[in-house]
Amino acid sequence: MSAEILCIGTELLLGNITNGNARWLAEQLAALGIAHQRQSVVGDNRTRLMAAVREVAGRCRVLITTGGLGPTPDDLTTEAIAAAFDTPLVEHPEIWADIQARIGARGRFCSPSNRKQAFLPAGAAVLPNPTGTAPGMIWTPPAAPGIQPGFTVLTFPGVPSEMEAMWFATAEPWLRSAGLADGVFASRMLRFWGVSESALAEQMADLLALENPTVAPYAGAGEVKLRLTARAGSVAEAQILLAPLEAQIRVRSGRACFGVDDDSLASVVLEQMRRRGETMAVAESCTGGGLGAALAAVPGASDGFVGGVIAYANSIKQALLGVPQALLESQGAVSDSVAIAMAEGARRATGATWAIAVTGIAGPGGGSTEKPVGLVHIAIAGPDGCSSEAVRFGATRGRVWIQRLTSGEALNRLRLRLADCPGAQL
Amino acid sequence: MSAEILCIGTELLLGNITNGNARWLAEQLAALGIAHQRQSVVGDNRTRLMAAVREVAGRCRVLITTGGLGPTPDDLTTEAIAAAFDTPLVEHPEIWADIQARIGARGRFCSPSNRKQAFLPAGAAVLPNPTGTAPGMIWTPPAAPGIQPGFTVLTFPGVPSEMEAMWFATAEPWLRSAGLADGVFASRMLRFWGVSESALAEQMADLLALENPTVAPYAGAGEVKLRLTARAGSVAEAQILLAPLEAQIRVRSGRACFGVDDDSLASVVLEQMRRRGETMAVAESCTGGGLGAALAAVPGASDGFVGGVIAYANSIKQALLGVPQALLESQGAVSDSVAIAMAEGARRATGATWAIAVTGIAGPGGGSTEKPVGLVHIAIAGPDGCSSEAVRFGATRGRVWIQRLTSGEALNRLRLRLADCPGAQL
């Protein structure tokens, strides 16, 4: 009952693009409990593509291909797969009518080359493409020696969004109804800030060894994640396996766990604001707007985020945030006292309940022994006062990395401050 | 003289990580002119790994593997490759001494399991790993039927930084000295804004068909790129092939070409500022800081970028940028007149020579028939006055996409305005 993935495209072999489709499909197969033992990539070459398809047909039950379904001469997936099993192509008039209608609706000319997309091997079913012109197919070639019994090919275009829509609409239900999916998986991603991947893995060592549910750690830009996955007869049963595991991880990790699944530090902080009926502002020096952008990336951010000041130059810190020139001169722009003056200035200027200020040295230039690249001061001002603390991110991973960590760390500090603060409900 | 890449790791088959190594290696092979016709991924499974290695040995001259060189029982690449060609492993005491020294230097305990990393198949040469403990090997298994003459395996760990260091230090020189690299490649990436990939491809149709140098188009988030690659006997000769091609593309595409290689719209605009001795500020509504963050991501941004105001809420547009309440009420926040008032207000408040203002509807909520999601007004204020224009990005690709395109479009408008403006040297 195993599956293989075959991605088709010379651009993959030239290293022009990363094979994100293979990863995405692999994740889907894992979620369905379908064993997946090999992935391959071949170019837009008929002979080599035919050879690869025949090899796979001798090894596994399901072949999933991506790429090569377009209208150009380079796109030869359907034709090569048909030829690999000595099967003629037949035209599907309903596909051709659909392609003409879609291209016409965009006010474009439908070229004769599009017509080849309406041809599938005899006996193949259409795998509809709701968002693009190139449909795929679900095809079980005629039984023959050297072909696994029931061997079936599912073809997808290389455009990720089209592939994904086709997967959920048709391919996944087909795999389930064909009895290929082994049980049901449910998974949950727990998100952490302020703990290293290795420290978290050590803390959860016994849980990482579990077989069902499983726990797997991932590291991102400052964030660490644990993916919890359970297999069971139904989604409800799988959820029942996950719940006590999640509870145990949350108890062990304490406040480092900030959210689940699609949560971000920004979305969690904005949710705190919403529940409290409060607002927040930012005053950014070294991040130059990145902290605000993280907040603005969350749909509905305007409920809690009012904006703020990008005080990149010292003149802006003075003019828009009222940071005293004397303070800038005596303490330097990268200092707790300036961070505090920025946060208080932002709160005053915007009228927001809370303000975060960040000032630091993102590098590569501008560092000194006393104030090295990676040093950042983060202040939070609120109704109960203002405090600032320094953090050192180090210089090795570069400017943009320091800017990203600064935004995350600042949001996390506000999250914890709100959690401690009267009125907190999160 | 072809090569294949085989990446080893169950985490790839589970979709836990994207196979960035395959892309990176593919790019290196292309740059060396080594034909690369297939990539594969297998899990940490001895039998299947042995089978995959034997298949590749019958198809090509060079096999490059990644992964499975660590000390744990899962790491079985070296042993399985040796077994695939019936060759015993022999210990290299110098590797074991080196591993002990490296681990000792970090103050850690060297476990007995590390010792297996000192074993290579008889006859294999060490492929040194300057930055990690796991070395690779360069090995030509004994000639046998079904194995391509001279077939050679190069193994690398899965850690990208270690693999890359080993490639440049040892593997690439070895491939060249073995006569496998066919000439030298030079490439140059031209970057465009304000033109679609298909329109650019049509304009350059004859150039896309060239064989040496080659031209290949890529699309990003609003940006379109053309990669020019030339093959010749030396880098200097390759550069000579590229120069007239680049000149021709620049003439044909006009001002849409904004830069090359590592340039970004932000770095190009900041370079314009530097040459002119001028400064710039931003006033951001719908991007929430993303425009400033794009500028601040460029090292040395402080020479030209002073900062600005994140005027997400209307109250901030009034308080910090002086946008009249009456204007907000009569025209709405998403309008040319408010964009102009924001840009002029930012210029006034910051004292910068130029200011960009953006105000729009990033969605998913907040759109109307008249002012749909994706509608953005962009104003640029400078010494010669202020103007604003609307742009419609559409709603289909979502909030963060609209925010990114807005930042790019705003920077591109400032770039073009500066190019037209007296004093421009770019």
Side-chain angles (χ1 to χ4, degrees):
Chain A
M1 287 307 190
S2 78
E4 290 196 22
I5 296 169
L6 174 63
C7 299
I8 299 148
T10 300
E11 69 279 17
L12 289 164
L13 293 182
L14 290 174
N16 292 341
I17 58 169
T18 301
N19 196 351
N21 285 348
R23 181 200 170 157
W24 191 88
L25 289 167
E27 250 185 321
Q28 304 311 312
L29 290 172
L32 291 173
I34 297 176
H36 167 217
Q37 296 170 347
R38 201 192 284 214
Q39 287 168 8
S40 312
V41 175
V42 294
D44 302 315
N45 176 290
R46 190 172 184 272
T47 312
R48 287 192 284 268
L49 175 49
M50 285 172 64
V53 169
R54 277 192 299 248
E55 287 167 30
V56 176
R59 277 195 302 255
C60 72
R61 170 72 199 278
V62 174
L63 167 61
I64 290 159
T65 73
T66 66
L69 300 186
T72 76
D74 268 5
D75 294 304
L76 32 77
T77 297
T78 308
E79 193 260 322
I81 293 176
F85 302 103
D86 296 317
T87 302
L89 293 167
V90 295
E91 185 167 14
H92 289 238
E94 77 282 9
I95 301 180
W96 179 223
D98 184 59
I99 292 173
Q100 288 175 299
R102 282 166 191 262
I103 295 182
R106 298 189 206 155
R108 299 220 208 120
F109 173 71
C110 188
S111 84
S113 63
N114 282 106
R115 186 155 183 176
K116 84 169 190 182
Q117 296 177 302
F119 284 79
L120 298 181
V126 179
L127 203 176
N129 181 343
T131 60
T133 55
M137 65 173 173
I138 301 180
W139 182 42
T140 303
I147 302 182
Q148 289 288 321
F151 173 75
T152 301
V153 190
L154 282 76
T155 63
F156 295 83
V159 180
S161 59
E162 296 181 14
M163 174 190 75
E164 292 166 18
M166 291 163 72
W167 180 271
F168 290 125
T170 308
E172 184 183 316
W174 182 85
L175 290 164
R176 285 191 190 281
S177 70
L180 296 167
D182 180 14
V184 172
F185 281 68
S187 78
R188 198 154 168 80
M189 188 73 92
L190 297 187
R191 297 174 178 276
F192 302 81
W193 189 272
V195 59
S196 74
E197 188 188 11
S198 57
L200 191 65
E202 218 165 280
Q203 202 176 29
M204 308 294 168
D206 55 327
L207 305 180
L208 298 185
L210 294 176
E211 296 210 338
N212 186 27
T214 59
V215 181
Y218 303 89
E223 183 179 329
V224 178
K225 295 173 270 192
L226 289 178
R227 171 177 283 165
L228 285 51
T229 308
R231 181 150 83 181
S234 70
V235 173
E237 287 172 65
Q239 302 283 12
I240 287 170
L241 290 174
L242 289 183
L245 177 64
E246 177 177 343
Q248 191 172 5
I249 291 172
R250 283 179 179 269
V251 167
R252 279 199 211 175
S253 59
R255 308 206 301 177
C257 179
F258 70 82
V260 297
D261 296 338
D262 292 336
D263 289 340
S264 64
L265 281 164
S267 75
V268 168
V269 167
L270 287 168
E271 178 61 19
Q272 287 175 307
M273 292 296 156
R274 204 187 55 75
R275 293 206 190 178
R276 299 167 64 98
E278 296 175 341
T279 56
M280 65 176 292
V282 297
E284 306 189 50
S285 183
C286 59
T287 46
L291 180 51
L295 290 159
V298 179
S302 53
D303 290 349
F305 175 52
V306 298
V309 173
I310 303 173
Y312 206 62
N314 283 351
S315 61
I316 310 288
K317 295 182 183 78
Q318 293 175 52
L320 291 178
L321 296 170
V323 178
Q325 186 172 353
L327 200 62
L328 287 163
E329 281 167 8
S330 65
Q331 306 293 311
V334 179
S335 61
D336 279 328
S337 21
V338 167
I340 287 172
M342 287 172 68
E344 285 178 338
R347 209 171 155 246
R348 204 166 44 232
T350 63
T353 326
W354 299 91
I356 306 178
V358 296
T359 176
I361 300 155
S368 65
T369 319
E370 220 180 305
K371 296 189 177 180
V373 170
L375 172 68
V376 179
H377 292 260
I378 300 173
I380 293 172
D384 54 350
C386 184
S387 64
S388 174
E389 224 178 301
V391 57
R392 285 164 192 261
F393 294 118
T396 45
R397 300 244 218 169
R399 180 175 179 85
V400 171
W401 180 261
I402 292 168
Q403 291 171 326
R404 267 191 219 152
L405 289 189
T406 301
S407 293
E409 180 66 19
L411 290 168
N412 193 52
R413 290 194 189 176
L414 177 55
R415 173 180 77 90
L416 296 175
R417 170 91 169 257
L418 290 167
D420 287 337
C421 177
Q425 299 179 30
L426 277 173
Chain B
M1 287 309 188
S2 78
E4 290 196 22
I5 296 169
L6 174 64
C7 299
I8 299 148
T10 300
E11 70 278 17
L12 289 163
L13 294 181
L14 289 174
N16 292 340
I17 58 169
T18 301
N19 197 349
N21 285 347
R23 181 201 170 155
W24 191 89
L25 289 167
E27 252 186 321
Q28 304 310 313
L29 290 173
L32 292 172
I34 297 176
H36 167 216
Q37 295 170 346
R38 201 193 283 214
Q39 287 169 8
S40 312
V41 175
V42 294
D44 302 314
N45 176 290
R46 190 172 184 274
T47 312
R48 286 192 285 269
L49 175 49
M50 286 173 64
V53 168
R54 276 192 299 250
E55 286 167 32
V56 175
R59 278 196 301 254
C60 72
R61 171 69 199 278
V62 174
L63 167 61
I64 291 158
T65 74
T66 66
L69 300 187
T72 75
D74 268 4
D75 294 303
L76 33 77
T77 297
T78 307
E79 192 262 319
I81 293 175
F85 302 103
D86 296 317
T87 301
L89 293 167
V90 294
E91 184 168 15
H92 289 238
E94 77 282 10
I95 301 181
W96 179 223
D98 184 59
I99 291 172
Q100 288 174 300
R102 280 167 193 265
I103 294 182
R106 297 189 207 155
R108 298 218 211 121
F109 172 72
C110 189
S111 83
S113 63
N114 282 106
R115 186 154 184 177
K116 84 170 193 183
Q117 295 178 302
F119 284 79
L120 299 181
V126 179
L127 204 177
N129 181 345
T131 60
T133 55
M137 66 173 173
I138 301 181
W139 183 42
T140 303
I147 302 182
Q148 289 286 323
F151 173 75
T152 301
V153 190
L154 284 74
T155 63
F156 295 84
V159 181
S161 59
E162 297 182 13
M163 174 189 76
E164 292 167 19
M166 291 163 71
W167 179 271
F168 290 126
T170 308
E172 184 183 315
W174 183 85
L175 291 164
R176 285 191 190 281
S177 70
L180 296 167
D182 182 13
V184 171
F185 280 67
S187 79
R188 199 156 167 78
M189 188 72 92
L190 297 187
R191 296 175 177 275
F192 302 82
W193 189 273
V195 59
S196 73
E197 187 187 13
S198 56
L200 191 65
E202 217 166 281
Q203 203 177 27
M204 307 294 168
D206 54 327
L207 305 180
L208 298 185
L210 293 176
E211 296 209 338
N212 186 27
T214 59
V215 181
Y218 304 88
E223 183 180 330
V224 178
K225 296 174 270 191
L226 290 179
R227 171 177 283 165
L228 285 51
T229 308
R231 182 150 80 182
S234 70
V235 172
E237 287 172 65
Q239 301 284 12
I240 287 169
L241 290 174
L242 288 183
L245 177 64
E246 177 177 343
Q248 191 172 4
I249 291 172
R250 283 179 179 268
V251 167
R252 278 198 210 175
S253 59
R255 307 206 303 177
C257 180
F258 70 82
V260 298
D261 297 338
D262 292 336
D263 289 341
S264 64
L265 282 165
S267 75
V268 167
V269 166
L270 287 169
E271 177 61 20
Q272 288 175 307
M273 292 296 154
R274 206 188 53 76
R275 293 207 190 178
R276 301 166 64 100
E278 294 176 342
T279 57
M280 66 176 292
V282 298
E284 307 188 48
S285 183
C286 60
T287 46
L291 180 51
L295 290 158
V298 180
S302 52
D303 290 349
F305 175 51
V306 298
V309 173
I310 303 173
Y312 206 63
N314 283 352
S315 61
I316 311 288
K317 295 183 182 78
Q318 293 176 55
L320 292 177
L321 295 170
V323 179
Q325 186 172 354
L327 201 62
L328 286 163
E329 280 168 9
S330 65
Q331 305 294 309
V334 179
S335 61
D336 280 328
S337 20
V338 167
I340 286 172
M342 288 172 67
E344 285 177 339
R347 210 173 154 245
R348 206 165 44 233
T350 63
T353 326
W354 300 90
I356 307 178
V358 297
T359 177
I361 300 156
S368 64
T369 320
E370 221 180 303
K371 297 188 176 181
V373 171
L375 171 68
V376 179
H377 292 259
I378 300 173
I380 292 171
D384 56 348
C386 184
S387 64
S388 174
E389 224 177 301
V391 57
R392 284 164 193 260
F393 294 118
T396 45
R397 299 243 218 170
R399 180 174 179 87
V400 171
W401 179 261
I402 291 167
Q403 291 171 326
R404 268 192 217 152
L405 289 188
T406 300
S407 292
E409 181 67 20
L411 290 168
N412 194 52
R413 289 194 189 176
L414 177 55
R415 173 179 78 89
L416 296 175
R417 170 91 169 259
L418 290 167
D420 287 339
C421 176
Q425 298 180 29
L426 279 172

